[in-house]
Amino acid sequence: MLSSPNIAVLPSRRLLRIPATLMRGGTSKCVIFHAEDLAGHDIALDDILLSAFGSVDPSQVDGVGGATSTTSKAALVSPSSRPGVDVEFLFAQIGIGNQVVEYGSNCGNCATAVGLHAIQTGLVAPRGGTTVVRMLNVNTGTLLTAAVATEHGAIPECGDALVPGSVSRTGVPVALGFVDPVGRTSGRLLPSGRAVDVVGALEATLVDAGAPAMFIDARGFGAGTVEGIREAASELVSLRRQGAVRMGLVAPGAPVPDAIPKVGLVAPPTAYTTTSGRRVGADEHDVSVRMMSMFAPHPAIGLTSAVALAAAAVTAGTVPNRIVGGGVASTIRLGTAAGVVELGTRVDGAGVLREVVFQRVARRIATMELFVPCGGG
């Protein structure tokens, strides 16, 4: 038998065979599992996901992960028996180069994919010209809706819609709504009780809607614009820790999850050039924003972060509300690095944010069977 001193022989491991679907939702890729396919194993769910994504290596080369925060995501989907809910899903943010899976937040891009996936796999039957899939994110208790055109009962595979920050290839248009998104983690829209906090001598708004998030006025930094987020990254990590404590997400001195709170810089609109080279005028957006995601600048903005920003923008006295000129707008345009993200808001008579709606896209990339090494023996 041939051998080499440079090849280590390790104990054999069990190989699980698990069906999965690879989907693009908005600006993310998400591996969708049916929850029943991951149940019944004597191996912990975290271990299965980390092995499937190849997360022990920062490149995730030995798994289906894409080695970025937007391509290392999973959703576990199941039919729901709850009234008014079609499917439930658990979102998982898979670690990159570490053995950590985080379940502390929701993901709107993955929810977009889950909505289309539910129709394509028969979890939800087409209903007339437009099928609305009602989804419960079990991480946060958030109810979401995904509206997909199903003319004459046809189930779409291709579409001609694009979203900022996505690839140039089009996808199936999906109208994604976050229903009653406020306070799902902390129980309050403003967890600190204040519209503006001073964190590290900088003004910031701490808000819980869609996901806990921290929006810092970029004008407090030397550069004075959101474009300085790369240079401010290390300071933002420190400020994020302080914000997490003030929001009651962690105790002082305790580790802060990688996924929440979201953190980013906001500033008044200014003309800028997107990462794809398109020029955006100051009159084309209402607030400039650059977000961090898993310690790196986000290529656009996560949908849960956008929900949080929308909630702050319609709340009197917050940093984003001051930037947009006060008041409550039914449409808010976010100037992200990838382009303008437009969203709609619905506020009730008491001033409570009831829904945020985005126009997104999704596409089924592959159905597959994963060969997942787990355990020993």
Side-chain angles (χ1 to χ4, degrees):
M1 182 175 67
L2 296 176
S3 63
S4 169
N6 297 321
I7 299 177
V9 179
L10 301 177
S12 61
R13 307 182 74 194
R14 293 169 55 187
L15 197 66
L16 303 182
R17 299 173 64 155
I18 302 174
T21 302
L22 182 62
M23 301 281 295
R24 175 167 70 92
T27 56
S28 295
K29 280 200 300 186
C30 189
V31 180
I32 298 180
F33 301 93
H34 287 195
E36 62 183 16
D37 293 326
L38 294 178
H41 301 291
D42 59 353
I43 300 171
L45 174 61
D46 283 17
D47 292 337
I48 294 175
L49 293 175
L50 289 165
S51 183
F53 277 72
S55 288
V56 69
D57 189 321
S59 72
Q60 292 186 329
V61 71
D62 194 43
V64 293
T68 69
S69 66
T70 56
T71 58
S72 192
K73 300 180 176 184
L76 283 63
V77 181
S78 59
S80 180
S81 59
R82 304 177 197 240
V85 180
D86 296 312
V87 296
E88 302 178 9
F89 74 96
L90 176 71
F91 169 67
Q93 182 75 55
I94 316 298
I96 302 168
N98 62 51
Q99 298 293 86
V100 176
V101 182
E102 291 195 7
Y103 303 98
S105 66
N106 185 12
C107 174
N109 282 318
C110 281
T112 303
V114 167
L116 180 59
H117 174 82
I119 299 172
Q120 291 178 331
T121 58
L123 288 172
V124 175
R127 304 173 180 132
T130 299
T131 299
V132 178
V133 181
R134 295 160 301 207
M135 306 173 288
L136 179 70
N137 171 248
V138 299
N139 307 68
T140 61
T142 299
L143 179 66
L144 303 102
T145 60
V148 179
T150 51
E151 292 292 337
H152 309 295
I155 298 174
E157 284 286 354
C158 299
D160 56 3
L162 287 169
V163 296
S166 185
V167 297
S168 57
R169 181 173 291 173
T170 59
V172 176
V174 178
L176 183 72
F178 286 72
V179 181
D180 290 329
V182 170
R184 290 295 179 176
T185 300
S186 68
R188 305 175 68 184
L189 172 64
L190 302 173
S192 72
R194 294 176 291 273
V196 176
D197 281 79
V198 178
V199 183
L202 297 171
E203 288 193 322
T205 290
L206 312 178
V207 61
D208 178 9
M214 178 178 181
F215 299 105
I216 300 171
D217 193 328
R219 291 168 291 185
F221 282 95
T225 74
V226 293
E227 303 297 351
I229 193 164
R230 287 190 182 275
E231 293 73 19
S234 60
E235 186 173 355
L236 288 175
V237 171
S238 174
L239 295 173
R240 178 178 172 273
R241 287 183 168 276
Q242 298 176 51
V245 173
R246 294 199 189 191
M247 298 177 83
L249 300 176
V250 299
V256 178
D258 291 347
I260 58 171
K262 314 296 185 183
V263 63
L265 300 179
V266 290
T270 56
Y272 71 100
T273 301
T274 69
T275 49
S276 63
R278 180 183 176 273
R279 192 67 177 165
V280 175
D283 60 341
E284 295 181 68
H285 58 297
D286 303 306
V287 55
S288 297
V289 57
R290 299 291 183 272
M291 298 297 299
M292 296 285 291
S293 178
M294 305 293 280
F295 309 110
H298 194 288
I301 186 170
L303 294 199
T304 53
S305 298
V307 170
L309 183 50
V314 299
T315 301
T318 67
V319 171
N321 182 254
R322 294 188 319 207
I323 288 173
V324 300
V328 175
S330 59
T331 300
I332 301 173
R333 301 167 301 169
L334 312 180
T336 79
V340 177
V341 174
E342 184 173 309
L343 50 87
T345 64
R346 180 169 62 86
V347 178
D348 68 14
V352 178
L353 181 66
R354 292 300 181 188
E355 187 174 21
V356 179
V357 179
F358 300 84
Q359 297 301 319
R360 307 303 287 169
V361 305
R363 188 176 81 84
R364 177 160 54 182
I365 298 173
T367 56
M368 53 196 177
E369 184 178 49
L370 299 184
F371 292 77
V372 183
C374 284

